[in-house]
């Protein structure tokens, strides 16, 4: 196997965190214990991402579909999120981590929104490393929101009707100011994309690991990054075009 090449290091890694429930079930614990441990993993992996050299880490924490889970579980997840934000603010500031979100965060409980807005404002000045939480996020919802906003911009004369380009539409996605993910990881052995960054991940490399999210470690993140560095990204070109620079 060729060694990892530093110039192929991913800028942006995104993780579909999965397996909290199974982790708890294997131990005879309630599902919420899995989520609680999952929050610890969020802390550790956020730090690991920075130490390993990522510039952006996105974590899929709550999908638009997750509202359909039992109300107790939804309530517990929102409680954990609020607790996490309160507890992490000092760490974000100490470690110079910028927090961002993607998703319909205005539909989250008021307490969560309050802590989110506060943390985002307090960390907005940091530029080296960004943690993006996908909250009440779904890619199809994002596209619908972007299409609505794009149409409004056309009606207001800020976009030209009849023209279309990816660059123009991209400005209306939640991620307009973020680089596309280079690497998308899913834990717990599932090999689905589950409505996550469908457009932004168009050229991403995927790594699927059987490790359940509460057990996911810095070594697992490093292994996924190493796997990424061994792959050849071609963006529709031939292998020769990618490996032999044009004269
Ligand atoms: C998937 O496991 C995980 C989730 C739906 C939520 C992820 C949430 C956390 C890690 C904790 C809260 C996050 C933050 C940022 C504080 P699952 O419940 O679908 O697991 P299963 O497939 O084994 O049932």
């Amino acid at each position: 196997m060729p060694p990892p090449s530093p110039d192929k290091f991913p800028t942006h890694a995104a993780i579909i965190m999965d397996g909290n429930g199974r982790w708890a079930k294997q131990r005879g614990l309630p599902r919420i214990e899995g989520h609680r441990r999952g929050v610890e993993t969020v802390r550790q992996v956020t730090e690991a991402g920075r130490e390993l050299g990522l510039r952006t880490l996105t974590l899929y924490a709550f999908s638009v579909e997750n509202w359909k889970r039992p109300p107790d579980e939804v309530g517990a997840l929102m409680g954990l999120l609020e607790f996490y934000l309160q507890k992490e603010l000092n760490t974000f500031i100490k470690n110079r981590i910028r927090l961002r979100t993607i998703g319909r965060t205005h539909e989250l409980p008021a307490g969560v929104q309050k802590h989110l807005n506060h943390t985002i404002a307090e960390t907005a000045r940091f530029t080296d490393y960004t943690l993006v939480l996908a909250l009440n996020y779904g890619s199809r919802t994002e596209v619908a929101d972007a299409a609505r906003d794009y149409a409004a911009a056309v009606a207001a004369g800020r976009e030209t009707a009849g023209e279309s380009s990816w660059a123009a539409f991209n400005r209306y996605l939640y991620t307009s100011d973020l680089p596309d993910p280079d690497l998308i990881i899913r834990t717990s052995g599932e090999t689905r994309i589950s409505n996550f960054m469908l457009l932004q991940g168009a050229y991403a490399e995927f790594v699927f690991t059987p490790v359940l999210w509460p057990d996911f470690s810095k070594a697992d993140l490093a292994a996924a990054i190493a796997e990424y560095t061994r792959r050849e990204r071609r963006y529709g070109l031939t292998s020769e075009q990618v490996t032999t620079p044009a004269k």
Side-chain angles (χ1 to χ4, degrees):
M1 221 180 267
S5 153
D7 62 322
K8 284 195 186 168
F9 201 85
T11 297
H12 181 182
I15 309 181
I16 302 173
M17 307 182 286
D18 199 5
N20 294 350
R22 276 162 285 168
W23 184 93
K25 195 171 178 192
Q26 283 172 2
R27 289 160 178 79
L29 298 168
R31 290 179 58 82
I32 187 62
E33 275 309 315
H35 295 313
R36 214 168 265 144
R37 268 298 294 260
V39 176
E40 282 310 310
T41 309
V42 165
R43 288 199 179 98
Q44 286 160 22
V45 170
T46 300
E47 189 53 31
R50 205 171 63 128
E51 287 166 4
L52 292 169
L54 296 174
R55 297 293 304 272
T56 306
L57 174 71
T58 297
L59 300 177
Y60 198 5
F62 194 84
S63 76
V64 290
E65 287 82 18
N66 285 153
W67 295 110
K68 294 181 210 134
R69 291 192 174 201
D72 283 2
E73 182 169 340
V74 172
L77 278 168
M78 291 300 145
L80 277 177
L81 183 56
E82 197 173 325
F83 176 71
Y84 161 83
L85 290 167
Q86 266 174 290
K87 202 167 163 215
E88 287 304 281
L89 179 58
N90 287 338
T91 308
F92 287 145
I93 292 172
K94 183 164 72 82
N95 294 342
R96 304 180 66 77
I97 299 170
R98 178 173 75 130
L99 183 76
R100 275 269 279 113
T101 57
I102 53 173
R104 287 186 173 173
T105 50
H106 59 278
E107 293 172 353
L108 294 170
V112 173
Q113 285 189 54
K114 191 181 93 181
H115 289 293
L116 272 178
N117 293 337
H118 182 58
T119 310
I120 289 168
E122 289 290 313
T123 62
R125 63 189 184 278
F126 304 131
T127 53
D128 288 351
Y129 182 56
T130 301
L131 172 66
V132 183
L133 293 181
L135 291 168
N136 196 20
Y137 176 84
S139 211
R140 290 177 171 178
T141 310
E142 177 180 30
V143 171
D145 285 352
R148 176 201 60 202
D149 294 347
Y150 190 78
V154 169
R158 284 181 276 111
E159 298 287 349
T160 311
E163 280 182 18
S164 81
S165 75
W166 167 245
F169 188 70
N170 191 29
R171 285 198 291 272
Y172 296 86
L173 295 175
Y174 306 146
T175 50
S176 58
D177 60 336
L178 295 169
D180 283 345
D182 304 296
L183 166 65
I184 296 180
I185 301 165
R186 184 170 188 146
T187 61
S188 89
E190 306 293 351
T191 48
R192 289 184 292 274
I193 191 70
S194 299
N195 202 14
F196 182 62
M197 288 198 157
L198 299 180
L199 298 180
Q200 298 88 340
Y203 291 101
E205 293 293 329
F206 288 81
V207 170
F208 298 102
T209 167
V211 177
L212 303 176
W213 178 249
D215 291 328
F216 191 79
S217 65
K218 182 178 180 180
D220 295 314
L221 180 60
I225 291 173
E227 165 71 28
Y228 169 92
T229 62
R230 287 190 289 268
R231 296 202 190 155
E232 181 183 72
R233 299 179 82 190
R234 290 202 287 272
Y235 301 98
L237 304 180
T238 66
S239 180
E240 289 71 24
Q241 283 175 301
V242 175
T243 50
T244 317
K247 300 225 165 64

